[in-house]
PDB file of all heavy atoms in Angstrom:
ATOM      1  N   ALA C   1     -33.785  25.925   6.945  1.00  0.00           N
ATOM      2  CA  ALA C   1     -33.582  26.584   8.241  1.00  0.00           C
ATOM      3  C   ALA C   1     -34.537  26.020   9.290  1.00  0.00           C
ATOM      4  O   ALA C   1     -34.143  25.769  10.435  1.00  0.00           O
ATOM      5  CB  ALA C   1     -33.759  28.088   8.093  1.00  0.00           C
ATOM      6  N   ALA C   2     -35.786  25.805   8.888  1.00  0.00           N
ATOM      7  CA  ALA C   2     -36.776  25.257   9.825  1.00  0.00           C
ATOM      8  C   ALA C   2     -36.372  23.851  10.267  1.00  0.00           C
ATOM      9  O   ALA C   2     -36.350  23.541  11.462  1.00  0.00           O
ATOM     10  CB  ALA C   2     -38.160  25.238   9.183  1.00  0.00           C
ATOM     11  N   PHE C   3     -36.022  23.006   9.312  1.00  0.00           N
ATOM     12  CA  PHE C   3     -35.651  21.627   9.638  1.00  0.00           C
ATOM     13  C   PHE C   3     -34.420  21.600  10.528  1.00  0.00           C
ATOM     14  O   PHE C   3     -34.368  20.881  11.535  1.00  0.00           O
ATOM     15  CB  PHE C   3     -35.409  20.830   8.348  1.00  0.00           C
ATOM     16  CG  PHE C   3     -35.302  19.350   8.572  1.00  0.00           C
ATOM     17  CD1 PHE C   3     -36.444  18.558   8.578  1.00  0.00           C
ATOM     18  CD2 PHE C   3     -34.079  18.748   8.769  1.00  0.00           C
ATOM     19  CE1 PHE C   3     -36.362  17.184   8.779  1.00  0.00           C
ATOM     20  CE2 PHE C   3     -33.976  17.379   8.980  1.00  0.00           C
ATOM     21  CZ  PHE C   3     -35.124  16.595   8.983  1.00  0.00           C
ATOM     22  N   CYS C   4     -33.414  22.427  10.169  1.00  0.00           N
ATOM     23  CA  CYS C   4     -32.165  22.441  10.936  1.00  0.00           C
ATOM     24  C   CYS C   4     -32.339  23.026  12.330  1.00  0.00           C
ATOM     25  O   CYS C   4     -31.531  22.767  13.218  1.00  0.00           O
ATOM     26  CB  CYS C   4     -31.090  23.218  10.180  1.00  0.00           C
ATOM     27  SG  CYS C   4     -30.445  22.328   8.758  1.00  0.00           S
ATOM     28  N   SER C   5     -33.390  23.811  12.541  1.00  0.00           N
ATOM     29  CA  SER C   5     -33.601  24.391  13.866  1.00  0.00           C
ATOM     30  C   SER C   5     -33.865  23.306  14.913  1.00  0.00           C
ATOM     31  O   SER C   5     -33.630  23.510  16.097  1.00  0.00           O
ATOM     32  CB  SER C   5     -34.759  25.388  13.839  1.00  0.00           C
ATOM     33  OG  SER C   5     -35.998  24.720  13.690  1.00  0.00           O
ATOM     34  N   LYS C   6     -34.324  22.148  14.474  1.00  0.00           N
ATOM     35  CA  LYS C   6     -34.640  21.076  15.427  1.00  0.00           C
ATOM     36  C   LYS C   6     -33.891  19.782  15.150  1.00  0.00           C
ATOM     37  O   LYS C   6     -33.607  19.021  16.068  1.00  0.00           O
ATOM     38  CB  LYS C   6     -36.144  20.805  15.398  1.00  0.00           C
ATOM     39  CG  LYS C   6     -36.675  20.066  16.599  1.00  0.00           C
ATOM     40  CD  LYS C   6     -38.186  20.121  16.597  1.00  0.00           C
ATOM     41  CE  LYS C   6     -38.769  19.658  17.912  1.00  0.00           C
ATOM     42  NZ  LYS C   6     -40.248  19.758  17.883  1.00  0.00           N
ATOM     43  N   TYR C   7     -33.565  19.554  13.888  1.00  0.00           N
ATOM     44  CA  TYR C   7     -32.973  18.274  13.503  1.00  0.00           C
ATOM     45  C   TYR C   7     -31.663  18.460  12.738  1.00  0.00           C
ATOM     46  O   TYR C   7     -31.424  17.831  11.720  1.00  0.00           O
ATOM     47  CB  TYR C   7     -33.981  17.465  12.663  1.00  0.00           C
ATOM     48  CG  TYR C   7     -35.261  17.183  13.406  1.00  0.00           C
ATOM     49  CD1 TYR C   7     -36.456  17.784  13.031  1.00  0.00           C
ATOM     50  CD2 TYR C   7     -35.268  16.332  14.506  1.00  0.00           C
ATOM     51  CE1 TYR C   7     -37.640  17.530  13.732  1.00  0.00           C
ATOM     52  CE2 TYR C   7     -36.449  16.077  15.213  1.00  0.00           C
ATOM     53  CZ  TYR C   7     -37.622  16.684  14.824  1.00  0.00           C
ATOM     54  OH  TYR C   7     -38.774  16.433  15.517  1.00  0.00           O
ATOM     55  N   SER C   8     -30.814  19.349  13.249  1.00  0.00           N
ATOM     56  CA  SER C   8     -29.600  19.666  12.500  1.00  0.00           C
ATOM     57  C   SER C   8     -28.580  18.521  12.493  1.00  0.00           C
ATOM     58  O   SER C   8     -27.866  18.338  11.521  1.00  0.00           O
ATOM     59  CB  SER C   8     -28.947  20.960  13.003  1.00  0.00           C
ATOM     60  OG  SER C   8     -28.686  20.894  14.375  1.00  0.00           O
ATOM     61  N   GLN C   9     -28.548  17.719  13.563  1.00  0.00           N
ATOM     62  CA  GLN C   9     -27.570  16.635  13.584  1.00  0.00           C
ATOM     63  C   GLN C   9     -27.854  15.575  12.515  1.00  0.00           C
ATOM     64  O   GLN C   9     -26.961  15.239  11.729  1.00  0.00           O
ATOM     65  CB  GLN C   9     -27.483  16.018  14.977  1.00  0.00           C
ATOM     66  CG  GLN C   9     -26.248  15.151  15.128  1.00  0.00           C
ATOM     67  CD  GLN C   9     -25.891  14.890  16.570  1.00  0.00           C
ATOM     68  OE1 GLN C   9     -26.514  15.411  17.482  1.00  0.00           O
ATOM     69  NE2 GLN C   9     -24.881  14.077  16.780  1.00  0.00           N
ATOM     70  N   PRO C  10     -29.072  15.040  12.437  1.00  0.00           N
ATOM     71  CA  PRO C  10     -29.321  14.090  11.335  1.00  0.00           C
ATOM     72  C   PRO C  10     -29.168  14.740   9.966  1.00  0.00           C
ATOM     73  O   PRO C  10     -28.691  14.112   9.017  1.00  0.00           O
ATOM     74  CB  PRO C  10     -30.755  13.608  11.569  1.00  0.00           C
ATOM     75  CG  PRO C  10     -31.330  14.459  12.636  1.00  0.00           C
ATOM     76  CD  PRO C  10     -30.215  15.114  13.363  1.00  0.00           C
ATOM     77  N   PHE C  11     -29.533  16.019   9.846  1.00  0.00           N
ATOM     78  CA  PHE C  11     -29.357  16.727   8.580  1.00  0.00           C
ATOM     79  C   PHE C  11     -27.880  16.758   8.192  1.00  0.00           C
ATOM     80  O   PHE C  11     -27.522  16.499   7.037  1.00  0.00           O
ATOM     81  CB  PHE C  11     -29.907  18.148   8.688  1.00  0.00           C
ATOM     82  CG  PHE C  11     -29.739  18.949   7.426  1.00  0.00           C
ATOM     83  CD1 PHE C  11     -30.677  18.871   6.414  1.00  0.00           C
ATOM     84  CD2 PHE C  11     -28.626  19.760   7.234  1.00  0.00           C
ATOM     85  CE1 PHE C  11     -30.519  19.589   5.237  1.00  0.00           C
ATOM     86  CE2 PHE C  11     -28.459  20.479   6.069  1.00  0.00           C
ATOM     87  CZ  PHE C  11     -29.403  20.395   5.066  1.00  0.00           C
ATOM     88  N   CYS C  12     -27.015  17.056   9.155  1.00  0.00           N
ATOM     89  CA  CYS C  12     -25.573  17.103   8.864  1.00  0.00           C
ATOM     90  C   CYS C  12     -25.033  15.737   8.474  1.00  0.00           C
ATOM     91  O   CYS C  12     -24.229  15.621   7.550  1.00  0.00           O
ATOM     92  CB  CYS C  12     -24.805  17.647  10.070  1.00  0.00           C
ATOM     93  SG  CYS C  12     -25.027  19.416  10.315  1.00  0.00           S
ATOM     94  N   HIS C  13     -25.494  14.700   9.184  1.00  0.00           N
ATOM     95  CA  HIS C  13     -25.000  13.358   8.877  1.00  0.00           C
ATOM     96  C   HIS C  13     -25.438  12.874   7.504  1.00  0.00           C
ATOM     97  O   HIS C  13     -24.721  12.115   6.852  1.00  0.00           O
ATOM     98  CB  HIS C  13     -25.449  12.365   9.951  1.00  0.00           C
ATOM     99  CG  HIS C  13     -24.556  12.354  11.155  1.00  0.00           C
ATOM    100  ND1 HIS C  13     -25.013  12.577  12.424  1.00  0.00           N
ATOM    101  CD2 HIS C  13     -23.224  12.169  11.271  1.00  0.00           C
ATOM    102  CE1 HIS C  13     -24.003  12.528  13.269  1.00  0.00           C
ATOM    103  NE2 HIS C  13     -22.901  12.289  12.597  1.00  0.00           N
ATOM    104  N   VAL C  14     -26.608  13.325   7.053  1.00  0.00           N
ATOM    105  CA  VAL C  14     -27.132  12.837   5.771  1.00  0.00           C
ATOM    106  C   VAL C  14     -26.796  13.789   4.625  1.00  0.00           C
ATOM    107  O   VAL C  14     -26.134  13.406   3.659  1.00  0.00           O
ATOM    108  CB  VAL C  14     -28.667  12.630   5.850  1.00  0.00           C
ATOM    109  CG1 VAL C  14     -29.244  12.297   4.489  1.00  0.00           C
ATOM    110  CG2 VAL C  14     -29.005  11.531   6.847  1.00  0.00           C
ATOM    111  N   VAL C  15     -27.223  15.033   4.721  1.00  0.00           N
ATOM    112  CA  VAL C  15     -27.123  15.961   3.591  1.00  0.00           C
ATOM    113  C   VAL C  15     -25.757  16.629   3.519  1.00  0.00           C
ATOM    114  O   VAL C  15     -25.110  16.618   2.464  1.00  0.00           O
ATOM    115  CB  VAL C  15     -28.258  17.015   3.640  1.00  0.00           C
ATOM    116  CG1 VAL C  15     -28.153  17.974   2.458  1.00  0.00           C
ATOM    117  CG2 VAL C  15     -29.623  16.328   3.642  1.00  0.00           C
ATOM    118  N   VAL C  16     -25.297  17.205   4.630  1.00  0.00           N
ATOM    119  CA  VAL C  16     -23.998  17.887   4.599  1.00  0.00           C
ATOM    120  C   VAL C  16     -22.888  16.901   4.266  1.00  0.00           C
ATOM    121  O   VAL C  16     -22.008  17.199   3.449  1.00  0.00           O
ATOM    122  CB  VAL C  16     -23.720  18.628   5.930  1.00  0.00           C
ATOM    123  CG1 VAL C  16     -22.297  19.191   5.955  1.00  0.00           C
ATOM    124  CG2 VAL C  16     -24.734  19.753   6.134  1.00  0.00           C
ATOM    125  N   ALA C  17     -22.923  15.717   4.855  1.00  0.00           N
ATOM    126  CA  ALA C  17     -21.898  14.705   4.557  1.00  0.00           C
ATOM    127  C   ALA C  17     -21.874  14.374   3.069  1.00  0.00           C
ATOM    128  O   ALA C  17     -20.806  14.254   2.465  1.00  0.00           O
ATOM    129  CB  ALA C  17     -22.144  13.441   5.379  1.00  0.00           C
ATOM    130  N   ALA C  18     -23.052  14.243   2.446  1.00  0.00           N
ATOM    131  CA  ALA C  18     -23.122  13.930   1.013  1.00  0.00           C
ATOM    132  C   ALA C  18     -22.547  15.067   0.177  1.00  0.00           C
ATOM    133  O   ALA C  18     -21.834  14.832  -0.804  1.00  0.00           O
ATOM    134  CB  ALA C  18     -24.561  13.661   0.600  1.00  0.00           C
ATOM    135  N   VAL C  19     -22.821  16.306   0.566  1.00  0.00           N
ATOM    136  CA  VAL C  19     -22.283  17.464  -0.165  1.00  0.00           C
ATOM    137  C   VAL C  19     -20.762  17.480  -0.063  1.00  0.00           C
ATOM    138  O   VAL C  19     -20.060  17.684  -1.057  1.00  0.00           O
ATOM    139  CB  VAL C  19     -22.872  18.790   0.382  1.00  0.00           C
ATOM    140  CG1 VAL C  19     -22.105  19.995  -0.153  1.00  0.00           C
ATOM    141  CG2 VAL C  19     -24.343  18.900   0.017  1.00  0.00           C
ATOM    142  N   LEU C  20     -20.240  17.265   1.138  1.00  0.00           N
ATOM    143  CA  LEU C  20     -18.790  17.317   1.336  1.00  0.00           C
ATOM    144  C   LEU C  20     -18.080  16.218   0.560  1.00  0.00           C
ATOM    145  O   LEU C  20     -16.966  16.408   0.086  1.00  0.00           O
ATOM    146  CB  LEU C  20     -18.458  17.210   2.832  1.00  0.00           C
ATOM    147  CG  LEU C  20     -18.973  18.347   3.723  1.00  0.00           C
ATOM    148  CD1 LEU C  20     -18.632  18.073   5.183  1.00  0.00           C
ATOM    149  CD2 LEU C  20     -18.427  19.701   3.282  1.00  0.00           C
ATOM    150  N   GLN C  21     -18.725  15.059   0.432  1.00  0.00           N
ATOM    151  CA  GLN C  21     -18.099  13.925  -0.246  1.00  0.00           C
ATOM    152  C   GLN C  21     -18.305  13.943  -1.757  1.00  0.00           C
ATOM    153  O   GLN C  21     -17.662  13.184  -2.475  1.00  0.00           O
ATOM    154  CB  GLN C  21     -18.638  12.611   0.331  1.00  0.00           C
ATOM    155  CG  GLN C  21     -18.205  12.388   1.760  1.00  0.00           C
ATOM    156  CD  GLN C  21     -19.024  11.328   2.460  1.00  0.00           C
ATOM    157  OE1 GLN C  21     -19.849  10.653   1.857  1.00  0.00           O
ATOM    158  NE2 GLN C  21     -18.799  11.176   3.757  1.00  0.00           N
ATOM    159  N   GLU C  22     -19.194  14.796  -2.220  1.00  0.00           N
ATOM    160  CA  GLU C  22     -19.499  14.861  -3.657  1.00  0.00           C
ATOM    161  C   GLU C  22     -18.249  15.299  -4.416  1.00  0.00           C
ATOM    162  O   GLU C  22     -17.641  16.319  -4.093  1.00  0.00           O
ATOM    163  CB  GLU C  22     -20.636  15.871  -3.880  1.00  0.00           C
ATOM    164  CG  GLU C  22     -21.119  15.946  -5.298  1.00  0.00           C
ATOM    165  CD  GLU C  22     -22.020  14.783  -5.697  1.00  0.00           C
ATOM    166  OE1 GLU C  22     -22.355  13.924  -4.872  1.00  0.00           O
ATOM    167  OE2 GLU C  22     -22.375  14.743  -6.883  1.00  0.00           O
ATOM    168  N   PRO C  23     -17.834  14.519  -5.421  1.00  0.00           N
ATOM    169  CA  PRO C  23     -16.662  14.943  -6.189  1.00  0.00           C
ATOM    170  C   PRO C  23     -16.967  16.184  -7.019  1.00  0.00           C
ATOM    171  O   PRO C  23     -18.125  16.487  -7.303  1.00  0.00           O
ATOM    172  CB  PRO C  23     -16.372  13.732  -7.092  1.00  0.00           C
ATOM    173  CG  PRO C  23     -17.665  13.004  -7.186  1.00  0.00           C
ATOM    174  CD  PRO C  23     -18.408  13.266  -5.907  1.00  0.00           C
ATOM    175  N   GLY C  24     -15.944  16.901  -7.378  1.00  0.00           N
ATOM    176  CA  GLY C  24     -16.123  18.088  -8.217  1.00  0.00           C
ATOM    177  C   GLY C  24     -16.289  19.340  -7.388  1.00  0.00           C
ATOM    178  O   GLY C  24     -16.237  19.325  -6.168  1.00  0.00           O
ATOM    179  N   GLU C  25     -16.512  20.431  -8.082  1.00  0.00           N
ATOM    180  CA  GLU C  25     -16.561  21.740  -7.433  1.00  0.00           C
ATOM    181  C   GLU C  25     -17.779  21.905  -6.527  1.00  0.00           C
ATOM    182  O   GLU C  25     -17.662  22.268  -5.383  1.00  0.00           O
ATOM    183  CB  GLU C  25     -16.552  22.850  -8.500  1.00  0.00           C
ATOM    184  CG  GLU C  25     -15.214  22.956  -9.244  1.00  0.00           C
ATOM    185  CD  GLU C  25     -14.041  23.190  -8.323  1.00  0.00           C
ATOM    186  OE1 GLU C  25     -14.110  24.139  -7.516  1.00  0.00           O
ATOM    187  OE2 GLU C  25     -13.066  22.430  -8.380  1.00  0.00           O
ATOM    188  N   GLY C  26     -18.976  21.676  -7.069  1.00  0.00           N
ATOM    189  CA  GLY C  26     -20.184  21.823  -6.271  1.00  0.00           C
ATOM    190  C   GLY C  26     -20.290  23.185  -5.621  1.00  0.00           C
ATOM    191  O   GLY C  26     -20.544  23.298  -4.428  1.00  0.00           O
ATOM    192  N   ALA C  27     -20.101  24.240  -6.426  1.00  0.00           N
ATOM    193  CA  ALA C  27     -20.039  25.596  -5.877  1.00  0.00           C
ATOM    194  C   ALA C  27     -21.301  25.987  -5.124  1.00  0.00           C
ATOM    195  O   ALA C  27     -21.228  26.521  -4.012  1.00  0.00           O
ATOM    196  CB  ALA C  27     -19.761  26.600  -6.997  1.00  0.00           C
ATOM    197  N   GLU C  28     -22.461  25.713  -5.695  1.00  0.00           N
ATOM    198  CA  GLU C  28     -23.712  26.110  -5.035  1.00  0.00           C
ATOM    199  C   GLU C  28     -23.933  25.312  -3.753  1.00  0.00           C
ATOM    200  O   GLU C  28     -24.416  25.846  -2.752  1.00  0.00           O
ATOM    201  CB  GLU C  28     -24.909  25.942  -5.977  1.00  0.00           C
ATOM    202  CG  GLU C  28     -24.921  26.912  -7.144  1.00  0.00           C
ATOM    203  CD  GLU C  28     -24.875  28.383  -6.741  1.00  0.00           C
ATOM    204  OE1 GLU C  28     -25.334  28.728  -5.632  1.00  0.00           O
ATOM    205  OE2 GLU C  28     -24.371  29.192  -7.533  1.00  0.00           O
ATOM    206  N   GLN C  29     -23.568  24.037  -3.791  1.00  0.00           N
ATOM    207  CA  GLN C  29     -23.719  23.205  -2.604  1.00  0.00           C
ATOM    208  C   GLN C  29     -22.792  23.689  -1.487  1.00  0.00           C
ATOM    209  O   GLN C  29     -23.190  23.761  -0.322  1.00  0.00           O
ATOM    210  CB  GLN C  29     -23.403  21.736  -2.933  1.00  0.00           C
ATOM    211  CG  GLN C  29     -24.428  21.054  -3.789  1.00  0.00           C
ATOM    212  CD  GLN C  29     -24.346  21.399  -5.281  1.00  0.00           C
ATOM    213  OE1 GLN C  29     -23.408  22.051  -5.724  1.00  0.00           O
ATOM    214  NE2 GLN C  29     -25.327  20.965  -6.037  1.00  0.00           N
ATOM    215  N   THR C  30     -21.563  24.037  -1.854  1.00  0.00           N
ATOM    216  CA  THR C  30     -20.607  24.521  -0.857  1.00  0.00           C
ATOM    217  C   THR C  30     -21.083  25.833  -0.254  1.00  0.00           C
ATOM    218  O   THR C  30     -21.039  26.031   0.965  1.00  0.00           O
ATOM    219  CB  THR C  30     -19.208  24.697  -1.495  1.00  0.00           C
ATOM    220  OG1 THR C  30     -18.800  23.440  -2.055  1.00  0.00           O
ATOM    221  CG2 THR C  30     -18.190  25.154  -0.471  1.00  0.00           C
ATOM    222  N   LYS C  31     -21.585  26.737  -1.096  1.00  0.00           N
ATOM    223  CA  LYS C  31     -22.121  28.007  -0.585  1.00  0.00           C
ATOM    224  C   LYS C  31     -23.281  27.753   0.369  1.00  0.00           C
ATOM    225  O   LYS C  31     -23.415  28.428   1.393  1.00  0.00           O
ATOM    226  CB  LYS C  31     -22.608  28.888  -1.748  1.00  0.00           C
ATOM    227  CG  LYS C  31     -21.505  29.528  -2.556  1.00  0.00           C
ATOM    228  CD  LYS C  31     -22.129  30.378  -3.658  1.00  0.00           C
ATOM    229  CE  LYS C  31     -21.122  30.675  -4.747  1.00  0.00           C
ATOM    230  NZ  LYS C  31     -21.742  31.229  -5.951  1.00  0.00           N
ATOM    231  N   LEU C  32     -24.127  26.796   0.021  1.00  0.00           N
ATOM    232  CA  LEU C  32     -25.270  26.474   0.874  1.00  0.00           C
ATOM    233  C   LEU C  32     -24.805  25.962   2.234  1.00  0.00           C
ATOM    234  O   LEU C  32     -25.309  26.394   3.277  1.00  0.00           O
ATOM    235  CB  LEU C  32     -26.162  25.437   0.191  1.00  0.00           C
ATOM    236  CG  LEU C  32     -27.337  24.921   1.030  1.00  0.00           C
ATOM    237  CD1 LEU C  32     -28.316  26.037   1.360  1.00  0.00           C
ATOM    238  CD2 LEU C  32     -28.045  23.792   0.310  1.00  0.00           C
ATOM    239  N   VAL C  33     -23.840  25.050   2.236  1.00  0.00           N
ATOM    240  CA  VAL C  33     -23.319  24.528   3.505  1.00  0.00           C
ATOM    241  C   VAL C  33     -22.721  25.667   4.330  1.00  0.00           C
ATOM    242  O   VAL C  33     -22.955  25.762   5.539  1.00  0.00           O
ATOM    243  CB  VAL C  33     -22.284  23.402   3.270  1.00  0.00           C
ATOM    244  CG1 VAL C  33     -21.550  23.052   4.560  1.00  0.00           C
ATOM    245  CG2 VAL C  33     -22.972  22.162   2.709  1.00  0.00           C
ATOM    246  N   CYS C  34     -21.986  26.564   3.679  1.00  0.00           N
ATOM    247  CA  CYS C  34     -21.402  27.708   4.391  1.00  0.00           C
ATOM    248  C   CYS C  34     -22.497  28.574   5.017  1.00  0.00           C
ATOM    249  O   CYS C  34     -22.381  28.998   6.170  1.00  0.00           O
ATOM    250  CB  CYS C  34     -20.542  28.549   3.456  1.00  0.00           C
ATOM    251  SG  CYS C  34     -19.023  27.724   2.935  1.00  0.00           S
ATOM    252  N   GLU C  35     -23.556  28.805   4.266  1.00  0.00           N
ATOM    253  CA  GLU C  35     -24.662  29.622   4.778  1.00  0.00           C
ATOM    254  C   GLU C  35     -25.344  28.946   5.967  1.00  0.00           C
ATOM    255  O   GLU C  35     -25.674  29.592   6.963  1.00  0.00           O
ATOM    256  CB  GLU C  35     -25.675  29.884   3.658  1.00  0.00           C
ATOM    257  CG  GLU C  35     -26.665  30.968   3.998  1.00  0.00           C
ATOM    258  CD  GLU C  35     -27.513  31.394   2.802  1.00  0.00           C
ATOM    259  OE1 GLU C  35     -27.084  31.201   1.645  1.00  0.00           O
ATOM    260  OE2 GLU C  35     -28.610  31.918   3.048  1.00  0.00           O
ATOM    261  N   LEU C  36     -25.526  27.644   5.880  1.00  0.00           N
ATOM    262  CA  LEU C  36     -26.133  26.908   6.995  1.00  0.00           C
ATOM    263  C   LEU C  36     -25.229  26.955   8.225  1.00  0.00           C
ATOM    264  O   LEU C  36     -25.704  27.138   9.349  1.00  0.00           O
ATOM    265  CB  LEU C  36     -26.411  25.453   6.587  1.00  0.00           C
ATOM    266  CG  LEU C  36     -27.487  25.253   5.527  1.00  0.00           C
ATOM    267  CD1 LEU C  36     -27.531  23.797   5.071  1.00  0.00           C
ATOM    268  CD2 LEU C  36     -28.863  25.678   6.045  1.00  0.00           C
TER     269      LEU C  36
END
């Protein structure tokens, strides 16, 4: 939350993009992205 408060765009390009592209269910990762 702290990092995303100032640097959410690079975070989305690096971390969120990797989560979305990850094959398989990734339930915890998907929940995390939803929460963010």
Side-chain angles (χ1 to χ4, degrees):
F3 192 87
C4 287
S5 71
K6 199 168 192 179
Y7 300 111
S8 55
Q9 195 162 356
F11 179 86
C12 287
H13 276 124
V14 173
V15 180
V16 173
V19 168
L20 297 177
Q21 292 164 7
E22 185 77 4
E25 291 303 307
E28 292 304 333
Q29 289 78 8
T30 303
K31 286 181 198 167
L32 175 63
V33 169
C34 291
E35 193 170 337
L36 292 172

